[in-house]
Amino acid sequence: MLDRQVEVLSQTLRTVEAQIQTRTTQVRKRRNGLCSINRLSVEVLVEIFSFVSEGIEFPVRTDYYVWLARLSRVCTLWAAIIDQAPTLWTILFDTQDPRLVDKIIAKAGNCPLSVSVGRSSWSRPAPESFLDKLVPLTYRWEAAELIMKVDDKDYLQGYLKESSAPKLKTLHIQVVSRRGSRPIDLFRGGTECLQELVLSGTSVPWSSPLLSRLQILRISSICMAEAPRTIKLIQILTQCPDLSELAIHQCYILEPDTSDDLPAPSLPHLRILEL
């Protein structure tokens, strides 16, 4: 009889504890809902959350999704907003688990994408599985970072040479362990929105459409084999009348022929010049 009473009381206690836990969770959710930041609109919160993606050199940071996961654990409201906001799921790295890549592409909907290839894998080219998924989506690329060893230039060029990237605004290309080699030829299909081009350790063909209508141009560590002639560099500047930033570091530039006509380019918006 006594054992039966103890069992009933224990069951009642467990039920009460569960109810207390439920009510406590409800109170916490209600309290979080009354916080000043949670009274902002969903659109404003998504904009705030997007700031965790900002990188120092490239527009995105490699630990972006780590920070996004931390934000999701703050409260259920934030977790729901983050899960349902396509603009927060637009950053892709070739070092990510392939299943995560599929998840991100699905969650991003039709939003523009930021793609980083090779940042943490200089010893190997980007996985074919990653490029097979992302190259058909170059029409959605808004920012791209391509880091490679010199021996991998042909590998990436094979994927991207004829691609079109009509929304691409920022393109960073870097070759590590460089030595004299030919330029890398990419995006012949067009990049009509390109505003920022950064070349390090390699060049593109100096007549490439990539080198027109730019607002930011940074070139560094170009070897003699890929060096432009002075006249070609001036022609590039002439094709970029809205250029606001020009940086050229550790680059060979071939002297002009005596027959070269060297007109002075007009750059009325230039604010930063580094030579």
Side-chain angles (χ1 to χ4, degrees), residues 25-85:
T25 301
Q26 292 173 346
V27 169
R28 287 176 177 170
K29 289 181 179 180
R30 178 61 177 165
R31 181 191 62 191
N32 290 338
L34 294 174
C35 291
S36 298
I37 190 170
N38 286 341
R39 284 182 287 188
L40 297 173
S41 68
V42 171
E43 293 78 11
V44 172
L45 284 172
V46 169
E47 185 67 21
I48 293 172
F49 296 157
S50 69
F51 289 144
V52 303
S53 71
E54 293 186 351
I56 297 175
E57 296 179 358
F58 185 61
V60 298
R61 52 192 297 168
T62 53
D63 59 349
Y64 168 66
Y65 288 106
V66 174
W67 284 96
L68 204 62
R70 290 175 181 173
L71 287 174
S72 296
R73 290 193 290 269
V74 171
C75 64
T76 55
L77 174 63
W78 287 18
I81 290 174
I82 289 171
D83 184 65
Q84 298 171 20

Side-chain angles (χ1 to χ4, degrees), residues 88-263:
L88 296 178
W89 297 90
T90 59
I91 301 170
L92 293 147
F93 304 95
D94 64 328
T95 52
Q96 290 168 328
D97 185 296
R99 292 168 297 180
L100 180 58
V101 172
D102 292 333
K103 176 182 177 181
I104 292 171
I105 292 175
K107 283 184 170 292
N110 293 318
C111 293
L113 302 173
S114 295
V115 178
S116 179
V117 172
R119 187 185 292 199
S120 301
S121 54
W122 290 353
S123 61
R124 59 173 177 79
E128 290 184 6
S129 59
F130 180 80
L131 293 174
D132 287 341
K133 293 174 182 177
L134 269 297
V135 170
L137 300 176
T138 54
Y139 68 94
R140 288 174 52 192
W141 289 19
E142 185 175 50
E145 177 186 56
L146 308 175
I147 302 176
M148 68 205 84
K149 297 181 71 172
V150 68
D151 295 333
D152 297 329
K153 292 172 75 171
D154 289 342
Y155 176 81
L156 275 176
Q157 184 171 283
Y159 272 94
L160 296 171
K161 185 174 183 178
E162 303 298 334
S163 295
S164 172
K167 296 182 179 179
L168 190 65
K169 296 180 180 178
T170 301
L171 176 59
H172 292 196
I173 305 174
Q174 179 182 359
V175 169
V176 296
S177 64
R178 64 185 178 86
R179 60 179 180 268
S181 63
R182 62 184 181 279
I184 183 167
D185 191 4
L186 305 174
F187 299 113
R188 284 188 176 182
T191 55
E192 49 265 35
C193 290
L194 190 64
Q195 299 174 358
E196 177 179 336
L197 178 62
V198 177
L199 302 172
S200 178
T202 190
S203 66
V204 296
W206 297 114
S207 58
S208 170
L210 293 174
L211 292 162
S212 61
R213 303 184 302 277
L214 295 172
Q215 296 180 14
I216 298 174
L217 175 60
R218 302 192 195 108
I219 305 173
S220 62
S221 303
I222 302 298
C223 64
M224 179 70 79
E226 298 183 56
R229 292 175 55 217
T230 305
I231 184 64
K232 178 55 67 175
L233 185 59
I234 291 177
Q235 289 172 351
I236 291 170
L237 298 181
T238 302
Q239 294 170 177
C240 302
D242 295 327
L243 199 67
S244 63
E245 180 178 339
L246 174 64
I248 302 177
H249 296 284
Q250 298 179 324
C251 294
Y252 286 96
I253 299 178
L254 304 181
E255 294 184 0
D257 294 336
T258 54
S259 60
D260 285 340
D261 182 17
L262 300 179

